[in-house]
């Protein structure tokens, strides 16, 4: 399997796991352990580029916390010990990327819609801490145990629609205290484009207000996916409005540490959605840098498209 195919292979199931799935992440250049809090595949957005297959019903409808935590423990051990690279799926991972990078809360829907969000984050933190204390003991014995950070990073990949809820705010605070990073989705500058892409009853203003409020508390990473819709890239006026929204967030005291510009890397459900060319991604990155002064980075589409 080529590195590119590995990047593209974000199947939620690993072996027999139902909630926890390791992937080779193109963003981090290492192994990210995904935690799926939405096994029922329900999301409060219906993004046109989403690659969750909602044409079939999932066999797993509810989060079974005990099982999820057990899967997290075994997957952490599997990656840290290097045993994962003996499996067929991960055998082809290049040496430089054989590194445990983070635990990422993402999955088949919006993770913050999970009703016990703060409790599950705390429980995963407890597993992580225990793992880290075992790691520091074992690291001396086995140098192939590689963790990039002294404390393993936790990433919440979110559409920011639920940040106003108190239990979500508690969950975010737990992440803040445990090397957490929040990657909030923002990929429109206008209400019309937001509706075209995200197809949700949740108002664009609520998402903007939530991002601003959360970014006042800790620096956020913005993730923005731009694409061709019916072969049309986002109009220049939309990118300009997107930069204006970013500037409004920072002018209101929000801290944005990075803007990640993506395009489609995996085939989405909707066939009218296709990736931008590499130079179009580069042009958006340059616009963001020039118009906002923020740090921005681009991720290209799939060469196998
Ligand atoms: S927010 Fe994420 S999971 Fe939900 S529809 Fe959009 S891309 Fe899919």
């Amino acid at each position: 399997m080529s590195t590119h195919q590995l990047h593209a292979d974000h199947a939620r199931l690993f072996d027999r796991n139902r909630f926890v799935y390791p992937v080779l992440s193109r963003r981090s250049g290492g192994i990210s352990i995904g935690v799926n809090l939405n096994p029922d595949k329900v999301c409060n957005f219906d993004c046109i580029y989403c690659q969750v297959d909602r044409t079939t019903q999932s066999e797993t409808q509810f989060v079974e916390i005990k099982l999820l935590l057990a899967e997290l423990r075994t997957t952490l051990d599997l990656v840290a010990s290097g045993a994962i690279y003996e499996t067929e799926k991960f055998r082809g991972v290049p040496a430089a990327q054989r590194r445990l990078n983070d635990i990422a809360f993402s999955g088949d829907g919006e993770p913050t819609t999970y009703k016990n969000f703060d409790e599950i984050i705390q429980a995963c933190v407890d597993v992580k801490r225990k793992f880290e204390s075992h790691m520091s003991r074992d690291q001396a014995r086995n140098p192939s145990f590689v963790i990039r950070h002294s404390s393993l990073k936790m990433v919440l990949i979110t559409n920011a629609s639920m940040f106003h809820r108190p239990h979500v705010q508690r969950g975010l605070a737990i992440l803040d205290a445990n090397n957490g990073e929040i990657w909030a989705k923002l990929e429109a500058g206008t209400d019309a484009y937001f509706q075209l892409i995200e197809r949700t009853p949740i108002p664009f203003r609520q998402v903007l207000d939530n991002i601003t409020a959360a970014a006042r508390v800790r620096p956020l990473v913005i993730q923005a996916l731009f694409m061709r819709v019916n072969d049309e890239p986002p109009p220049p006026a939309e990118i300009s409005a997107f930069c204006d929204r970013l500037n409004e967030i920072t002018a209101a005291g929000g801290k944005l540490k990075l803007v990640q510009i993506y395009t489609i890397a995996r085939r989405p459900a909707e066939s009218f959605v296709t990736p931008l060319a590499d130079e179009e991604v580069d042009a958006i990155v340059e616009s963001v840098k020039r118009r906002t002064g923020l740090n921005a980075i681009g991720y290209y589409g799939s060469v196998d498209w």
Side-chain angles (χ1 to χ4, degrees):
M1 189 181 273
S2 72
T3 308
H4 203 92
Q5 283 168 310
L6 276 169
H7 285 313
D9 189 357
H10 274 219
R12 296 276 171 252
L13 299 176
F14 184 70
D15 201 7
R16 285 186 298 275
N17 282 7
R18 284 160 65 195
F19 305 103
V20 176
Y21 55 98
V23 293
L24 178 63
S25 161
R26 65 182 179 140
R27 290 176 280 225
S28 68
I31 303 291
S32 174
I33 297 182
V35 177
N36 184 8
L37 299 182
N38 307 88
D40 58 2
K41 303 200 226 178
V42 174
C43 190
N44 58 0
F45 278 23
D46 181 21
C47 305
I48 58 173
Y49 62 82
C50 187
Q51 6 93 34
V52 176
D53 176 11
R54 296 196 169 89
T55 57
T56 57
Q57 234 201 355
S58 168
E59 282 171 28
T60 306
Q61 291 292 311
F62 302 103
V63 172
E64 294 166 42
I65 295 182
K66 263 188 165 171
L67 182 58
L68 183 150
L69 297 175
E71 288 181 2
L72 182 57
R73 271 181 225 110
T74 41
T75 308
L76 281 166
D77 288 342
L78 195 68
V79 180
S81 67
I84 193 171
Y85 307 114
E86 287 157 25
T87 65
E88 201 190 328
K89 189 172 167 188
F90 289 90
R91 197 167 292 147
V93 175
Q97 298 182 18
R98 291 188 172 200
R99 175 178 64 214
L100 176 53
N101 198 69
D102 56 64
I103 297 171
F105 296 90
S106 62
D108 292 338
E110 168 51 35
T112 59
T113 57
Y114 180 63
K115 63 181 186 323
N116 299 320
F117 179 73
D118 50 344
E119 287 170 28
I120 195 84
I121 295 289
Q122 182 60 59
C124 291
V125 162
D126 294 343
V127 169
K128 174 182 107 108
R129 284 199 180 146
K130 209 163 186 181
F131 166 77
E132 284 164 347
S133 68
H134 288 165
M135 276 286 299
S136 49
R137 192 195 60 205
D138 292 345
Q139 195 136 31
R141 281 191 237 145
N142 184 349
S144 70
F145 279 33
V146 179
I147 284 199
R148 195 190 252 179
H149 307 275
S150 54
S151 167
L152 182 59
K153 191 155 113 177
M154 302 182 100
V155 179
L156 172 67
I157 300 176
T158 174
N159 64 24
S161 59
M162 296 287 134
F163 286 178
H164 54 290
R165 295 198 169 164
H167 74 287
V168 175
Q169 287 172 7
R170 285 196 298 274
L172 301 186
I174 296 167
L175 287 170
D176 292 341
N178 289 281
N179 200 20
E181 205 167 67
I182 297 160
W183 295 7
K185 179 208 283 284
L186 180 68
E187 43 212 11
T190 62
D191 197 48
Y193 203 74
F194 175 80
Q195 287 306 332
L196 174 77
I197 303 299
E198 327 286 14
R199 300 188 298 196
T200 175
I202 295 167
F204 188 36
R205 178 41 54 197
Q206 180 175 318
V207 170
L208 290 168
D209 288 349
N210 280 358
I211 290 177
T212 305
R216 279 194 185 128
V217 179
R218 84 284 286 162
L220 295 193
V221 173
I222 294 290
Q223 47 166 198
L225 195 145
F226 291 105
M227 71 218 90
R228 285 198 149 67
V229 182
N230 292 319
D231 218 24
E232 292 293 325
E238 191 61 38
I239 298 302
S240 165
F242 171 69
C243 294
D244 291 345
R245 301 295 84 76
L246 294 173
N247 283 331
E248 284 162 13
I249 293 166
T250 50
K255 295 177 281 300
L256 302 177
K257 62 172 150 181
L258 178 65
V259 182
Q260 299 177 331
I261 306 292
Y262 299 89
T263 191
I264 311 285
R266 299 185 288 280
R267 203 167 284 277
E270 302 288 10
S271 57
F272 58 86
V273 174
T274 47
L276 295 179
D278 295 357
E279 45 287 5
E280 291 172 313
V281 172
D282 290 341
I284 297 174
V285 169
E286 284 316 307
S287 291
V288 170
K289 284 183 179 168
R290 195 179 59 248
R291 295 180 54 109
T292 68
L294 292 166
N295 191 11
I297 185 166
Y299 296 92
Y300 298 142
S302 166
V303 291
D304 302 331
W305 190 267

